[in-house]
Amino acid sequence: MSPREPGFETRAIHLGQEPDPGTGAVVPPIHLATTYRQEGVGRSQGFEYSRSGNPSRRALEVQLAGLERASHGFAFASGLAGEDALLRALLRPGQRLVLPRDAYGGTFRLVDQVLAPTGVGYLTADLSRPQDLAQLLAPEVRLVWAETPSNPRLEVLDIGALAQAAHGAGALLVIDNTFATPYLQNPLELGADAVVHSSTKYLGGHSDVVGGFVATNLDWLAESLAFLQNATGAVPSPFDCYLVQRGVRTLALRMERHCANAARVADFLQQHPAVEQVNYPGLPSHPGHELARRQMRGFGGMVSFRHRGGEGAATEMVTLTRIFHLAESLGAVESLIELPARMTHASVAGSDLAVEADLVRLSVGLETAEDLLEDLDQALDR
Ligand code: P1T
């Protein structure tokens, strides 16, 4: 019998987290040292200066790479810092990337306002039709960037089909796996070349740390990311690494409840007369439902919906909840509500990624489901 591989929960709790060899402490210490004594010039014990590497960051990188089924993982100071490193590693002036029609506003801003002025071009495409991608992939298009499920409309994209289309044209595929987390989906196993996370969200899970993570199985890309991590220095502090690592230990449990609560919320909203359209991949009416069933191990904790009363009613409604906090970000224990067009996605206004003004986004937390339904009901009814 071949030895069974440890399951997700076991890996989340043990990878990169062996008891401290010096003391036996079952929680690895937070290594605050910025520099490491060398035995001789160029002879270190693996760490030299904390920007280029430190044990706390390494522990987190081992843990997260193991969960994403990656041979290489890199932690960054934020999701956008990770995206920046990945984009710099993959694109040169004169080359282009494809962006999806639905993605985090900050990702669009990074490409449109930071990368494009350096000569890297972009185009947008409806990535729900991977079969159309081949025509768009001119030789200078080196990269397809996608989020699935996407922020804020919860579109589900076929990672395997996108990888095939991208690779057929000599391009690479990056998947932002922030909404799904490695618990629900492993894009590298489906053919993606790199995965990026905002670990500020479900990985940290408690709204108390900003972080990013990039994983890949490509050795040349890993080399470039390691270089950029050190050369540009957008690295997380050891304490930030500890917080994300602690969050990830309970990721499986939290995601189960996020999924269960979000399913209840989506069902409830679908039947509410003030709600026009509910975006949740777990609903059989969602256009990506069947694909999500095949590609994911659950449907996630994010829900968005259009308010039948239009922009004014939506803007008012997000201020009326008592448990859901009106706030940006997502993926933590407490439920959040927001208006993407005016908040998280203000930077996509007027672009192909523009969001409907009456769209409300919910990050469904871990509170008692009945309390969440009651809260939404009273806010929608006023
Ligand atoms: O905020 P930061 O850690 O830099 O991560 C950026 C980011 C990247 N990718 C996705 C899918 C994201 O949702 C985010 C950040 N998003 C929010 C802050 C938000 O409220 O949507």
Side-chain angles (χ1 to χ4, degrees):
M1 200 170 84
S2 62
R4 199 178 59 79
E5 201 211 9
F8 185 95
E9 294 83 350
T10 309
R11 284 180 285 136
I13 292 168
H14 291 286
L15 280 178
Q17 302 167 83
E18 293 75 26
D20 179 45
T23 63
V26 298
V27 177
I30 303 171
H31 289 265
L32 294 174
T34 56
T35 191
Y36 293 81
R37 183 172 55 89
Q38 305 190 14
E39 305 292 328
V41 176
R43 279 175 42 223
S44 70
Q45 292 172 259
F47 299 103
E48 288 154 12
Y49 181 58
S50 192
R51 166 164 37 74
S52 47
N54 65 70
S56 299
R57 192 168 90 214
R58 182 91 308 249
L60 173 63
E61 291 171 339
V62 166
Q63 180 195 35
L64 289 178
L67 297 183
E68 275 298 11
R69 307 280 189 194
S71 45
H72 308 282
F74 301 92
F76 287 89
S78 69
L80 281 177
E83 294 187 17
D84 182 46
L86 199 44
L87 290 163
R88 283 181 205 239
L90 293 174
L91 295 161
R92 298 282 167 271
Q95 297 180 333
R96 298 208 288 166
L97 77 153
V98 176
L99 284 179
R101 295 274 160 86
D102 198 47
Y104 172 54
T107 300
F108 176 74
R109 182 178 55 204
L110 175 63
V111 170
D112 182 58
Q113 295 187 46
V114 180
L115 208 60
T118 70
V120 173
Y122 71 90
L123 62 152
T124 65
D126 175 5
L127 297 184
S128 67
R129 300 180 50 81
Q131 64 273 29
D132 296 348
L133 199 55
Q135 307 151 336
L136 293 174
L137 292 178
E140 74 275 14
V141 177
R142 307 297 305 148
L143 177 64
V144 177
W145 186 282
E147 276 179 21
T148 179
S150 67
N151 183 359
R153 290 200 200 90
L154 286 306
E155 278 176 20
V156 179
L157 303 174
D158 189 333
I159 297 172
L162 286 175
Q164 228 177 8
H167 295 162
L172 297 180
L173 176 68
V174 168
I175 295 292
D176 185 330
N177 204 27
T178 299
F179 272 32
T181 81
Y183 182 65
L184 299 181
Q185 169 176 288
N186 289 125
L188 298 180
E189 294 213 307
L190 299 169
D193 300 287
V195 169
V196 62
H197 283 277
S198 168
S199 33
T200 317
K201 311 300 183 320
Y202 291 103
L203 301 181
H206 296 76
S207 296
D208 56 8
V209 59
V210 172
F213 179 70
V214 178
T216 184
N217 284 319
L218 300 173
D219 294 340
W220 63 266
L221 178 56
E223 210 171 297
S224 183
L225 288 166
F227 171 79
L228 286 164
Q229 201 183 30
N230 182 47
T232 65
V235 291
S237 76
F239 187 63
D240 288 353
C241 293
Y242 163 77
L243 285 176
V244 176
Q245 186 159 52
R246 183 166 76 159
V248 171
R249 288 181 199 138
T250 56
L251 181 66
L253 275 174
R254 286 187 288 107
M255 289 315 292
E256 288 292 340
R257 184 60 67 86
H258 280 298
C259 291
N261 278 0
R264 297 276 306 270
V265 164
D267 270 345
F268 163 80
L269 290 172
Q270 212 176 24
Q271 290 164 34
H272 199 285
V275 172
E276 172 91 31
Q277 177 200 326
V278 184
N279 304 318
Y280 184 64
L283 292 173
S285 57
H286 187 285
H289 179 67
E290 283 309 317
L291 174 58
R293 286 179 77 93
R294 289 201 302 276
Q295 185 169 272
M296 302 175 71
R297 293 182 278 270
F299 302 109
M302 298 298 295
V303 179
S304 64
F305 67 92
R306 297 186 64 179
H307 199 297
R308 189 153 282 172
E311 180 180 0
T315 312
E316 165 96 17
M317 186 252 158
V318 299
T319 67
L320 297 176
T321 48
R322 296 172 185 144
I323 296 176
F324 282 83
H325 298 309
L326 173 59
E328 305 199 1
S329 202
L330 60 108
V333 293
E334 70 282 338
S335 292
L336 304 177
I337 189 166
E338 66 120 6
L339 205 66
R342 298 267 298 279
M343 297 171 65
T344 52
H345 290 68
S347 57
V348 302
S351 79
D352 291 347
L353 281 76
V355 198
E356 298 84 7
D358 57 11
L359 187 78
V360 174
R361 190 188 76 180
L362 304 175
S363 172
V364 181
L366 306 183
E367 300 92 339
T368 312
E370 286 72 25
D371 295 335
L372 297 178
L373 303 187
E374 258 179 49
D375 190 31
L376 291 169
D377 200 29
Q378 64 80 26
L380 284 163
D381 282 347
R382 276 204 269 165

